[in-house]
Amino acid sequence: MASKPEPTAPFHTVQYALRVLETVAEHGDGVTAAQISRETGLPLGPLSPLLLTLRREGHVEQVTDGAYVIGSSLLLIGSGPARRQALEARLQQTLAQLRDSVGAAVYISRYVDGEIRVTQYADGPRTPAVNEWVDFRSAAHASAVGKCLLAQLDRDGRRDHISRHRTPRLTSRTITNEKVLFSKLDSQPATVPVLDLQEYAVGTVCAAVPLTAGASAGCLALSLPVEDAHRLRAAAETLNRRAAPVLLSMAL
């Protein structure tokens, strides 16, 4: 099903990052930032923080003469099942770092074959995951994850989903009217986190940001107990800013 919104800032960052990695890979003996800038067309201004992110994630390394080479995290990735396992491990590490950064459980979800799937998550004793008291696949209308994924579908895709998964009232805050739900999804800016303020479960607030790679709809989300609701918007903004490294780990 076609994705609805324009690509978000994290998506563009990943596109640039992949171009940078391709350039670095072509220069086995190392390549300077100035040369990377010339070959990719990316100005040094935005290139510098991007290279810093790639270094922090282990995708590139800077050698003694200041040139960049492919980093150890990419050199360890082979092909086939080994590559998939390495990517999943790398992504899990990235999620754990993000969990500690925002102080909340974090999740990656995708819309696959017409269903919502939480594919990976990172929680902990101080950052408990959401109690899935209703199957997430049946609660797209109420959860930040579900609304974020539905917002990336076209209207036919949304109608198809709702025809298979009705919109029951899970809490007093749950939107059950399809017209109202679709109107809110249409008015949701692609670069602003989607919020769930006790719509899925009493006692839990959540936020989600889109992770759109190609035609696949995905999102990065977090959850907090309601007593920490005052931290939700700041945590969501941090989540939004940190989405690019997560999307990059998924794209490699």
Side-chain angles (χ1 to χ4, degrees):
M1 297 172 185
S3 296
K4 177 179 170 289
E6 292 298 316
T8 61
F11 176 84
H12 286 303
T13 301
V14 170
Q15 293 297 95
Y16 296 142
L18 293 175
R19 283 163 54 189
V20 169
L21 290 175
E22 289 173 358
T23 301
V24 174
E26 290 172 357
H27 297 270
D29 296 329
V31 58
T32 65
Q35 190 169 352
I36 294 172
S37 176
R38 287 194 298 270
E39 295 189 16
T40 62
L42 187 62
L44 283 172
L47 177 60
S48 295
L50 180 54
L51 285 170
L52 182 61
T53 297
L54 292 174
R55 286 179 61 190
R56 186 169 55 239
E57 297 297 318
H59 299 320
V60 301
E61 295 176 1
Q62 197 169 22
V63 292
T64 53
D65 62 355
Y68 292 89
V69 297
I70 287 297
S72 57
S73 68
L74 294 185
L75 292 173
L76 292 174
I77 296 175
S79 60
R83 181 180 188 277
R84 178 178 56 79
Q85 291 172 5
L87 287 173
E88 288 180 355
R90 182 67 187 173
L91 182 55
Q92 192 63 38
Q93 181 183 14
T94 300
L95 288 179
Q97 293 170 347
L98 183 57
R99 173 201 61 203
D100 295 341
S101 176
V102 300
V106 293
Y107 316 77
I108 286 180
S109 299
R110 302 190 187 196
Y111 197 76
V112 181
D113 297 330
E115 298 294 349
I116 292 171
R117 296 182 184 176
V118 177
T119 55
Q120 282 184 253
Y121 68 95
D123 63 350
R126 296 183 179 181
T127 53
V130 174
N131 175 29
E132 191 177 351
W133 76 285
V134 173
D135 193 320
F136 286 139
R137 292 175 298 179
S138 302
H141 64 297
S143 67
V145 162
K147 290 185 291 181
C148 189
L149 292 175
L150 289 180
Q152 296 174 60
L153 304 182
D154 58 25
R155 188 163 287 266
D156 289 340
R158 294 175 190 168
R159 286 200 178 108
D160 172 73
H161 185 90
I162 297 301
S163 71
R164 292 180 289 106
H165 298 287
R166 297 301 178 182
T167 56
R169 187 176 301 281
L170 304 183
T171 76
S172 62
R173 296 173 176 267
T174 305
I175 298 173
T176 59
N177 183 282
E178 178 181 313
K179 184 176 180 180
V180 173
L181 175 64
F182 284 11
S183 176
K184 285 188 172 294
L185 294 178
D186 285 334
S187 63
Q188 175 70 35
T191 56
V192 176
V194 178
L195 302 182
D196 159 16
L197 304 176
Q198 301 190 87
E199 296 169 53
Y200 171 75
V202 173
T204 302
V205 294
C206 306
V209 297
L211 291 177
T212 306
S216 176
C219 73
L220 178 63
L222 63 82
S223 64
L224 288 167
V226 70
E227 54 265 28
D228 291 333
H230 61 282
R231 295 202 296 112
L232 180 62
R233 292 189 183 275
E237 290 304 322
T238 300
L239 191 77
N240 209 10
R241 290 194 303 270
R242 296 286 302 277
V246 175
L247 185 52
L248 181 59
S249 296
M250 295 168 61
L252 292 173

